[in-house]
Amino acid sequence: MKRVSGVFAALVIATLAACGGTDSGDVSEDLGQISSALSTCSTTCASGAPVSCSGNSCSSVDGQYVQCDGSYQYCSTTPPPNCSRANTCIFIDGASCPFAGTYRDCCLSGLPTGSCYCKSDNTWTCTLPPDGP
């Protein structure tokens, strides 16, 4: 009877190893693959400024808002900025901002068509005009 038990135990261990049952696996690797599958939604507001977000799920209504994982980003209802030096995208880019995740309009080439996003380090990152002569 001992011989049958030993053979049975060896058979069970071999079966588990063949099916991956004894391998602990790398759970963090699997989770990393899942978290990288984010969706991005965007819309262009009436002012011409884009609004976008990324998350596990998202939706948008043209010219009104985007929604990612239950968090909404609405188009600004404020009029576009006058294009003074203080409202140019180049002047705003890199300056401090109040709340991460907020947006504001800025001016590109004298037109209020640019947009800035407040990054997690509370600085603006803005649409900048292309370099060139």
Side-chain angles (χ1 to χ4, degrees):
M1 186 73 170
K2 285 185 177 182
R3 185 172 191 187
V4 171
S5 296
V7 171
F8 180 72
L11 182 60
V12 169
I13 291 173
T15 303
L16 286 174
C19 295
T22 61
D23 185 9
S24 65
D26 188 0
V27 174
S28 64
E29 180 177 290
D30 293 339
L31 291 176
Q33 291 174 353
I34 292 169
S35 66
S36 66
L38 297 176
S39 299
T40 299
C41 287
S42 62
T43 189
T44 302
C45 301
S47 67
V51 176
S52 64
C53 64
S54 296
N56 292 317
S57 66
C58 68
S59 63
S60 66
V61 172
D62 287 342
Q64 295 182 20
Y65 67 84
V66 293
Q67 176 273 129
C68 290
D69 298 335
S71 179
Y72 289 80
Q73 296 275 340
Y74 291 92
C75 286
S76 175
T77 57
T78 59
N82 66 5
C83 289
S84 65
R85 181 179 185 275
N87 287 325
T88 60
C89 299
I90 292 173
F91 184 77
I92 296 167
D93 191 61
S96 64
C97 54
F99 302 104
T102 57
Y103 288 86
R104 72 167 283 181
D105 295 332
C106 64
C107 297
L108 284 170
S109 303
L111 299 172
T113 56
S115 180
C116 298
Y117 173 75
C118 186
K119 300 185 299 183
S120 61
D121 67 354
N122 288 52
T123 60
W124 291 112
T125 185
C126 302
T127 307
L128 297 176
D131 291 336

